[in-house]
């Protein structure tokens, strides 16, 4: 995108640099061409990660001969680790190596992981022998075979986490916040970012899953490997055109510094007057700290205020000894969001079932369309992705106008209300899943197929659509509601914290699923809910358990949501004007 020049001299940006460390020239760096190269690597990352995850449970049970519970835990641990490592990637990008190197390095790591995964599925000695029809038992994978598989999966997870942590933020760096036209284009960039994620998801759950099931796993994972390597080369090819920003520092460092400073002065008496505490106006003129949104002193978490006490016995003014009151209040804002953060984790635990037990259910059901075409079990998640894409326009075109009139809110629902709708839909999903499983088991018993784990039951797989639909619609509400809430409520100086809070709920949701599966499997071992042969298990009880936990969690969420006061409202009550953000910021 070309920008006008003044008197023949190219316009140089004050806060961006080119690949050689020189001030970036607006006409020759950044813009849509650079952003498109970054979008390409993200689309391939989504294609690769989801292409592995959605169909992994069938590989673990059908090829590696793991049990249903162990296979489900392997998938959820893989996904949970991927999202948790986003925090590591974000920390490295903000503090040490920048977003460009983070994306490049971790994309390479992901490519290495997928390559090892492809090799492990292609070499016969790296997987157990196939089960014979006359054999009542199958040989489980050896520790060496599983070791190679886990090495591949967790290298892929490491690469995914580092890449995902910085790719959207680096894309937004290609647009100038201070330029009105480019700020508008930045907003469009995030819309295209979501679009490319959706395209990658659709290709993964349709084309890749079909190739894996009908052509072969090595071909399916090989396509993933080629895609991520191609994305890496395209990304590196744009190096000369990118805009680079200086390291912003990690908000985790600020949080740690405030706690350390408060602990060091834990024995000092806290002054009643906020003017006696160290604040932004005490900092040198023009510094980064002084540019922050000044925040009033709040009543909660008062022990942290001691971090801003001016100690006459020391001349040290570094952040580990003395924090500004605004820094302290920013940390308090983050702490105040934690109850909302904690009560959204269970949604992602429900979400995790769509790539584990729901796929296992699908493998036992009739998946034919017509006489010849059979839908791959993992491709049922296309209804999940489709419901997300359907819910977003329905919300914008129908729900927003109606809710806006009823609730007198031009945006329709507040972020907390959107999250609440998502939590309710996740309850409906588990109720639908439990009822469908009861129906599936009834068919198995009626046709005396309970003892045959490989039998295809005469019940259409489309009975599973409601649970996929409810979770997909719930994600559309919860995902956008969480991002909006964390972006809106995070302090201006800690915007990158918003993505970290959001991604950690996804990660913990998957890990909670693994913990629940492990506990349930141990407690019900004599009469298993999660049997290796689903026809002999009571999976519906596990779904009822999740529905109950979701309902209890929702009640707790309501308590915290009703008591939460939005940042803008609190500042207005104190007579402070909320400064406009410079633009959307996320990893």
């Amino acid at each position: 995108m070309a920008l006008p020049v003044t008197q023949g001299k190219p316009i140089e940006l004050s806060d961006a640099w080119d690949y050689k460390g020189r001030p970036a020239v607006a006409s020759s760096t950044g813009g849509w061409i650079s952003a498109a190269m970054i979008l390409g690597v993200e689309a391939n990352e989504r294609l690769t990660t989801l292409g592995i995850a959605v169909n992994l449970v069938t590989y673990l049970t059908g090829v590696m001969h793991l049990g249903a519970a162990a296979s489900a835990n392997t998938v959820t641990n893989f996904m949970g680790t991927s999202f948790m490592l986003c925090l590591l990637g974000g920390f490295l990008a903000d503090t040490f190596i920048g977003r460009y190197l983070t994306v490049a390095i971790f994309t390479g790591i992901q490519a290495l992981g997928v390559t090892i995964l492809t090799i492990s599925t292609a070499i016969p000695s790296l997987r157990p022998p196939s089960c014979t029809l006359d054999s009542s038992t199958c040989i489980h994978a050896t520790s060496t075979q599983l070791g190679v598989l886990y090495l591949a999966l967790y290298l892929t997870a490491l690469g995914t986490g580092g890449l995902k942590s910085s790719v959207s933020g680096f894309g937004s760096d290609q647009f100038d916040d201070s330029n009105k036209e480019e700020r508008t284009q930045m907003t469009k960039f995030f819309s295209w970012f979501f679009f490319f994620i959706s395209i990658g998801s659709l290709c993964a759950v349709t084309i890749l899953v079909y190739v894996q099931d009908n052509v072969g796993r090595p071909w399916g994972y090989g396509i993933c490997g080629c895609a991520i390597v191609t994305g890496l080369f395209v990304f590196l090819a744009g190096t000369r055109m990118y805009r680079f920003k200086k390291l912003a520092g990690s908000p985790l460092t600020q949080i740690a510094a405030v706690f350390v400073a408060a602990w060091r002065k834990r024995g000092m008496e806290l002054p009643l007057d906020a003017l006696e505490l160290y604040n932004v106006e005490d900092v040198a003129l023009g510094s980064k700290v002084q540019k922050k949104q000044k925040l009033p002193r709040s009543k909660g978490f008062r022990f942290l205020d001691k971090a801003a006490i001016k100690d006459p016995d020391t001349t040290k003014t570094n952040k580990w000894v003395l924090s500004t009151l605004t820094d302290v209040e920013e940390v308090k804002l983050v702490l105040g969001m934690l109850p909302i953060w904690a009560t959204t984790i269970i949604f992602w635990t429900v979400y995790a079932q769509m790539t584990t037990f729901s796929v296992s259910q699908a493998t036992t059901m009739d998946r034919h369309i017509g006489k010849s075409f059979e839908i791959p079990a993992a491709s049922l998640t296309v209804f999940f992705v489709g419901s997300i894409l359907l819910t977003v326009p329905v919300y914008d075109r129908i729900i927003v106008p109606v809710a806006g009139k009823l609730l007198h809110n031009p945006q329709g629902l507040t972020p907390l209300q959107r999250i609440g709708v998502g939590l309710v839909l996740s309850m409906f999903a588990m109720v639908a899943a439990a009822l469908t499983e009861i129906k599936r088991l009834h068919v198995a018993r009626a046709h005396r197929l309970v003892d045959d784990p490989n039998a295809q039951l005469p019940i259409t797989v489309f009975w599973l659509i409601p649970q996929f639909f409810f979770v997909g619609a719930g994600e559309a509400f919860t995902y956008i509601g969480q991002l909006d809430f964390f972006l809106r409520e995070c302090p201006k100086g800690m915007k990158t914290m918003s993505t970290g809070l959001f991604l950690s709920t996804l990660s913990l949701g998957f890990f909670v699923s693994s913990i629940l599966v492990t506990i349930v499997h141990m407690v019900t071992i004599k009469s298993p809910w999660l049997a290796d042969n689903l026809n002999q298990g009571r999976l519906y009880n596990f779904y009822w358990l999740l529905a109950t936990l979701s309902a209890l969690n929702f009640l707790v969420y309501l308590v915290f949501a009703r008591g939460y006061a939005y940042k803008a409202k609190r500042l207005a009550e104190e007579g402070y004007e909320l400064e406009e953000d410079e633009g959307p910021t996320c990893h």
Side-chain angles (χ1 to χ4, degrees), residues 254-535:
Q254 178 181 329
I255 295 173
V258 167
F259 273 91
V260 170
W263 174 257
R264 283 181 168 180
K265 289 177 278 190
R266 61 189 180 279
M268 298 181 68
E269 186 175 350
L270 191 63
L272 296 177
D273 190 354
L275 296 177
E276 297 181 31
L277 297 172
Y278 187 67
N279 211 343
V280 290
E281 59 267 17
D282 299 319
V283 184
L285 185 65
S287 73
K288 178 182 173 182
V289 175
Q290 198 179 55
K291 296 178 183 178
K292 288 187 174 185
Q293 158 87 63
K294 187 177 180 180
L295 299 173
R297 187 182 187 185
S298 60
K299 296 180 180 179
F301 306 106
R302 275 294 176 92
F303 66 93
L304 292 177
D305 290 356
K306 292 187 177 183
I309 296 176
K310 304 172 186 177
D311 188 353
D313 297 330
T314 181
T315 57
K316 293 182 179 180
T317 58
N318 71 72
K319 60 187 177 183
W320 299 98
V321 176
L322 181 63
S323 302
T324 67
L325 181 60
T326 293
D327 282 341
V328 173
E329 291 301 326
E330 286 183 342
V331 173
K332 288 183 182 181
L333 283 175
V334 173
L335 293 177
M337 291 188 287
L338 291 184
I340 301 297
W341 168 85
T343 48
T344 56
I345 292 173
I346 193 68
F347 174 86
W348 300 106
T349 301
V350 170
Y351 173 96
Q353 311 316 311
M354 298 302 103
T355 56
T356 53
F357 290 116
S358 292
V359 175
S360 295
Q361 285 176 286
T363 60
T364 70
M365 303 170 79
D366 182 8
R367 306 190 303 277
H368 286 90
I369 296 180
K371 295 182 179 180
S372 57
F373 182 73
E374 185 177 43
I375 305 172
S379 288
L380 264 291
T381 49
V382 73
F383 295 106
F384 168 75
V385 178
S387 67
I388 297 174
L389 298 179
L390 177 64
T391 302
V392 172
V394 167
Y395 176 81
D396 287 336
R397 299 294 181 182
I398 300 176
I399 298 178
V400 167
V402 174
K405 293 180 180 179
L406 295 176
L407 303 174
H408 307 291
N409 180 9
Q411 295 180 340
L413 301 177
T414 66
L416 292 178
Q417 288 170 338
R418 292 184 77 160
I419 294 172
V421 172
L423 294 178
V424 170
L425 289 173
S426 70
M427 286 187 281
F428 290 161
M430 289 299 93
V431 171
L435 295 176
T436 299
E437 177 62 8
I438 291 172
K439 172 71 175 177
R440 193 191 68 82
L441 288 179
H442 175 75
V443 171
R445 295 188 186 103
H447 290 82
R448 298 180 180 179
L449 296 173
V450 172
D451 296 325
D452 186 356
N454 299 314
Q456 186 176 85
L457 306 181
I459 176 175
T460 177
V461 76
F462 295 119
W463 276 90
L464 297 176
I465 288 180
Q467 63 203 63
F468 282 103
F469 175 82
F470 281 127
V471 173
E475 183 187 2
F477 280 96
T478 303
Y479 187 108
I480 298 174
Q482 280 185 287
L483 273 182
D484 190 6
F485 174 74
F486 290 131
L487 276 169
R488 180 185 300 193
E489 295 303 299
C490 268
K492 184 178 179 181
M494 301 176 68
K495 280 297 179 183
T496 53
M497 190 73 186
S498 60
T499 308
L501 287 169
F502 167 64
L503 292 174
S504 62
T505 62
L506 273 74
S507 174
L508 291 173
F510 281 102
F511 285 133
V512 168
S513 176
S514 296
I515 293 171
L516 280 177
V517 167
T518 301
I519 294 174
V520 167
H521 191 58
M522 291 175 59
V523 172
T524 65
I525 191 69
K526 293 183 178 179
S527 181
W529 290 5
L530 310 174
D532 293 343
N533 178 359
L534 287 186
N535 297 335

Side-chain angles (χ1 to χ4, degrees), residues 564-584:
Y564 188 87
Y566 286 102
K567 180 176 68 176
K569 180 181 178 182
R570 297 201 305 270
L571 290 180
E573 291 175 349
E574 294 285 345
Y576 285 71
E577 183 178 352
L578 181 64
E579 296 177 9
E580 184 179 356
D581 293 330
E582 296 176 352

